[in-house]
Amino acid sequence: MDQTNIDTALPDNAIETRDLTKVYGGKQGRKVALDGVSLDVPRGSFFALLGPNGAGKSTFINILAGLVNKSSGHAAIWGRDIDRDHRGAKAAIGIVPQELNLDPFFTPRELLDVQAGMYGVPKSERRTAEILEAVGLADKAESYARTLSGGMRRRLLVAKAMVHNPPVLVLDEPTAGVDIELRQSLWAYVKKLNAQGVTVVLTTHYLEEAEELCDRIAIINKGRLVACDSKRALLSRLDSKALLVSVEGGLSEVPPLLAAYNPEIRPDGRLALRYAPSAVPAGRILEAIRDSGLSVRDLSTEETDLEDIFLRLTSSQG
């Protein structure tokens, strides 16, 4: 495939979908997997696509990968419509699937060479050794895939997705079953790719990973897009903060003056007081603590995190 066009064309969005819909039909009746999803993934972003099980994330990715046919709508990868320029769209994306779908009787070197051949990468332009080194598998280049650990196989899938040097990389639950050390090395490589200009799309159930790594976040629930914004803007949606108070002598019950702040005595003995910063100044809560006669030993705040937003958006949808 001609890689030149992919390298020189620089669209504003690495992925664009408009009213993307997928409806499955069968004996069990009509099932809407995607319901009019319109989504932009900016070029160069580290983008999280989140949602509960069955929300439609895998269907979305499989449509981009050419594994599932959409029912209606439009989708483009790197400016290439997946219907009108199927080959160009496919050349612009590398997908790391959830499943460890590797031929056990091939070595990593052989697997990467075969994958590169499938994408028409000339032998003189293949980066097999470089990619294996980058994902920490250079010393396993001649080992059969069946002898690799689960974490190594996961990294080999990332390597396979990168053989044709795609500008868009989709990681579908890439750290499932991967230990902490291997997870850190995998993210180090992916962050390096992103810094070099590769657009990264991540689906994960580890929300703390998405919050740490991604600059934009979309949430899908029941086939519908319920949020898509920068991480900062998304986290600011939930107007909620907690003041954590440690008091001398501990607490057995909450003073009445603090009842308005959704009080909770946590297992570690701290009193958590939750409030909306836009409506309640923190000073007002401090006055109520003082008027309650509590002797404060320590104070800290707890900000809204992505899990709070995720649960709010996915539980409120009917």
Side-chain angles (χ1 to χ4, degrees), residues 3-213:
Q3 301 294 307
T4 304
N5 290 337
I6 293 174
D7 293 338
T8 58
L10 294 175
D12 290 336
N13 294 315
I15 296 172
E16 287 184 0
T17 71
R18 293 294 179 269
D19 298 319
L20 192 63
T21 300
K22 177 61 183 178
V23 180
Y24 292 99
K27 294 181 179 179
Q28 302 299 321
R30 188 172 178 268
K31 162 72 174 175
V32 179
L34 285 180
D35 189 0
V37 173
S38 296
L39 180 65
D40 291 335
V41 177
R43 170 171 51 87
S45 62
F46 205 132
F47 193 97
L49 181 64
L50 308 178
N53 289 331
K57 303 185 303 297
S58 292
T59 299
F60 184 88
I61 290 171
N62 287 335
I63 289 174
L64 298 179
L67 301 176
V68 170
N69 293 323
K70 60 185 173 63
S71 299
S72 62
H74 161 83
I77 304 167
W78 212 246
R80 289 151 172 81
D81 187 276
I82 63 172
D83 293 325
R84 295 194 299 268
D85 187 5
H86 178 72
R87 287 169 62 85
K90 193 159 186 175
I93 195 168
I95 293 183
V96 182
Q98 290 187 44
E99 299 79 14
L100 294 171
N101 54 351
L102 296 168
D103 191 315
F105 298 104
F106 277 70
T107 67
R109 188 184 304 280
E110 290 169 340
L111 282 167
L112 264 59
D113 280 336
V114 168
Q115 187 80 353
M118 292 175 64
Y119 278 94
V121 181
K123 288 186 178 181
S124 61
E125 297 178 16
R126 294 179 188 176
R127 302 176 299 121
T128 300
E130 174 191 334
I131 294 173
L132 287 174
E133 178 70 33
V135 297
L137 292 175
D139 60 338
K140 300 292 184 181
E142 308 304 335
S143 302
Y144 287 122
R146 67 176 183 269
T147 68
L148 302 179
S149 69
M152 291 178 180
R153 294 183 192 186
R154 186 72 62 186
R155 283 186 285 165
L156 183 52
L157 287 176
V158 175
K160 277 185 65 180
M162 295 305 300
V163 296
H164 58 298
N165 198 30
V168 183
L169 179 65
V170 177
L171 303 165
D172 193 6
E173 298 288 349
T175 55
V178 177
D179 65 44
I180 293 176
E181 184 177 354
L182 292 179
R183 186 180 298 176
Q184 290 175 341
S185 66
L186 176 62
W187 285 135
Y189 176 58
V190 173
K191 285 192 284 188
K192 180 180 177 182
L193 289 174
N194 182 242
Q196 293 170 350
V198 175
T199 303
V200 179
V201 178
L202 167 69
T203 77
T204 180
H205 282 92
Y206 299 111
L207 297 182
E208 67 277 8
E209 284 187 343
E211 186 168 354
E212 177 184 351
L213 294 164

Side-chain angles (χ1 to χ4, degrees), residues 209-230:
E209 284 187 343
E211 186 168 354
E212 177 184 351
L213 294 164
C214 299
D215 48 63
R216 291 191 66 82
I217 296 169
I219 299 176
I220 291 181
N221 190 41
K222 298 180 181 178
R224 296 180 179 180
L225 186 68
V226 296
C228 182
D229 215 329
S230 68

